[in-house]
Amino acid sequence: MDKLIIVIGICLMIVACIAIVINRVKTRKLFDSLESMIHMAMNGEFAPEHFDEGRLSKLESELSDFLSASSISAQNVKDERDKIKSLISDISHQTKTPISNLILYSELLESADLTGDEKSNVEAIHAQAEKLRFLIDSLVKLSRLENGILSLETDNEELNPLLKDVAIQLREKAEAKDIKLEIKDTDAMALIDKKWTQEAIVNIVDNAIKYTDQGSITISTKDYEMFACVDISDTGIGIPEEESAKVFQRFYRGSNVKSKEGVGIGLHLAREIISGEGGYIKLSSKLGEGTTFSVFLPKK
């Protein structure tokens, strides 16, 4: 009797071991199958297969349905992005020539022998054509950034040459308003896309020139452990405290700058660029005394 109990016990242990092994094999097979499906979906190669009605197969089938829907959705997003890319390229191409012609013809008219009113009208046409060119260029750049069509390629760059290029680009505009534009030398470096960071800082400095009637604009840099901070400080009209959070919105124009030139997109584009690099922008301002935009750029 005791031997029979021992034999039965051994048999049960063997059956239990076999069941464990079979369960592990099935589990491994399931995970291998699920891993394969996810891997194919990530590479855009997923295709649904036939499954039976077992419980594990039902899980595989449901995951298959989910991945199929995800693959279709991802493809639709890609198709839409391609359409947007094509549309943006078409807009950029189709508007470039007529706007350039408007500017050219207005410059030719300005050199002609015109009466006072005629000359004033031609100058207005020229200014509006330049404004339109800036708006189209900015919207195209912004659309490419927001839709992921254009990616920022960062590298460890020296900031001093970049800031000097900004000064060269805008010094004439500052001098036309009798504004002193000062760049303080720096040894700081940051992990940035040099071309697009320069675009962002040019937009901020250009904005400072627009809203500064007298005094100076100073560009200085502070070197922190994780960020390099570029401060653009002006002695302009300042920004009301209640509007500080709104100035980075697309097309936003402050209540005290309605009569000034501008379309309200430069600061929004600057923030998109800096955010895309892993940085951020802060501002501090006193109404009637000036504003400081602090651009925090990530370091390597």
Side-chain angles (χ1 to χ4, degrees):
M1 187 68 178
D2 291 340
K3 289 183 179 180
L4 179 59
I5 292 173
I6 293 172
V7 170
I8 292 173
I10 293 173
C11 289
L12 290 174
M13 289 179 60
I14 293 173
V15 170
C17 290
I18 293 173
I20 292 172
V21 171
I22 292 173
N23 186 56
R24 286 183 176 176
V25 170
K26 286 184 177 180
T27 301
R28 184 178 298 169
K29 181 180 178 183
L30 172 63
F31 282 127
D32 287 344
S33 177
L34 297 180
E35 184 179 5
S36 176
M37 284 192 287
I38 293 171
H39 181 74
M40 286 190 294
M42 291 174 63
N43 291 321
E45 303 168 352
F46 179 76
E49 298 178 2
H50 173 74
F51 303 100
D52 60 39
E53 294 302 318
R55 187 170 182 182
L56 296 181
S57 291
K58 184 178 180 181
L59 175 61
E60 290 180 319
S61 180
E62 289 176 351
L63 180 60
S64 171
D65 292 340
F66 171 75
L67 292 177
S68 294
S70 297
S71 296
I72 293 171
S73 178
Q75 184 60 45
N76 288 339
V77 169
K78 183 179 182 301
D79 291 343
E80 285 299 316
R81 183 172 293 174
D82 288 342
K83 288 178 183 178
I84 292 172
K85 182 178 180 180
S86 177
L87 177 62
I88 292 171
S89 296
D90 288 343
I91 291 172
S92 178
H93 177 73
Q94 295 297 332
T95 58
K96 187 174 294 185
T97 300
I99 292 174
S100 296
N101 287 340
L102 278 172
I103 293 172
L104 174 62
Y105 293 142
S106 64
E107 288 174 346
L108 290 173
L109 283 171
E110 283 177 341
S111 63
D113 187 15
L114 302 173
T115 65
D117 287 343
E118 290 172 340
K119 188 173 183 64
S120 177
N121 289 336
V122 170
E123 288 174 350
I125 291 172
H126 189 182
Q128 292 302 311
E130 289 284 6
K131 185 175 179 179
L132 182 60
R133 177 162 65 178
F134 172 80
L135 177 60
I136 294 294
D137 287 347
S138 296
L139 286 173
V140 168
K141 292 171 185 175
L142 188 58
S143 296
R144 286 173 174 165
L145 282 170
E146 291 180 336
N147 288 285
I149 296 168
L150 186 150
S151 59
L152 301 170
E153 298 180 2
T154 60
D155 200 359
N156 200 33
E157 301 281 0
E158 294 181 5
L159 293 181
N160 209 51
L162 183 153
L163 298 177
K164 287 186 180 298
D165 287 343
V166 170
I168 291 170
Q169 189 171 337
L170 294 174
R171 194 174 299 283
E172 184 177 344
K173 188 171 184 177
E175 289 175 350
K177 294 184 68 177
D178 200 24
I179 296 169
K180 181 182 178 182
L181 180 57
E182 181 183 3
I183 308 291
K184 294 188 176 180
D185 289 338
T186 178
D187 295 327
M189 301 183 72
L191 192 62
I192 56 173
D193 184 309
K194 184 176 180 179
K195 173 187 172 184
W196 284 100
T197 303
Q198 181 172 322
E199 173 91 20
I201 294 177
V202 163
N203 284 346
I204 296 172
V205 177
D206 183 68
N207 194 75
I209 294 171
K210 286 177 187 175
Y211 305 126
T212 300
D213 293 324
Q214 60 181 358
S216 63
I217 296 169
T218 304
I219 304 176
S220 58
T221 307
K222 295 190 287 283
D223 206 4
Y224 298 116
E225 184 177 353
M226 297 181 64
F227 291 92
C229 175
V230 179
D231 285 332
I232 298 105
S233 301
D234 64 56
T235 58
I237 59 177
I239 300 169
E241 185 176 353
E242 64 273 14
E243 296 182 359
S244 295
K246 302 176 183 177
V247 296
F248 294 104
Q249 295 176 5
R250 187 193 283 117
F251 299 126
Y252 181 79
R253 303 291 312 284
S255 58
N256 60 340
V257 298
K258 297 293 186 183
S259 61
K260 302 282 186 178
E261 64 171 303
V263 294
I265 199 171
L267 291 180
H268 180 72
L269 178 58
R271 187 183 65 173
E272 290 296 311
I273 293 169
I274 300 304
S275 296
E277 294 175 328
Y280 60 97
I281 305 176
K282 293 176 63 178
L283 76 86
S284 59
S285 183
K286 288 187 178 181
L287 201 58
E289 295 184 19
T291 302
T292 295
F293 283 87
S294 298
V295 182
F296 288 84
L297 303 170
K299 294 177 66 173
K300 188 173 181 180

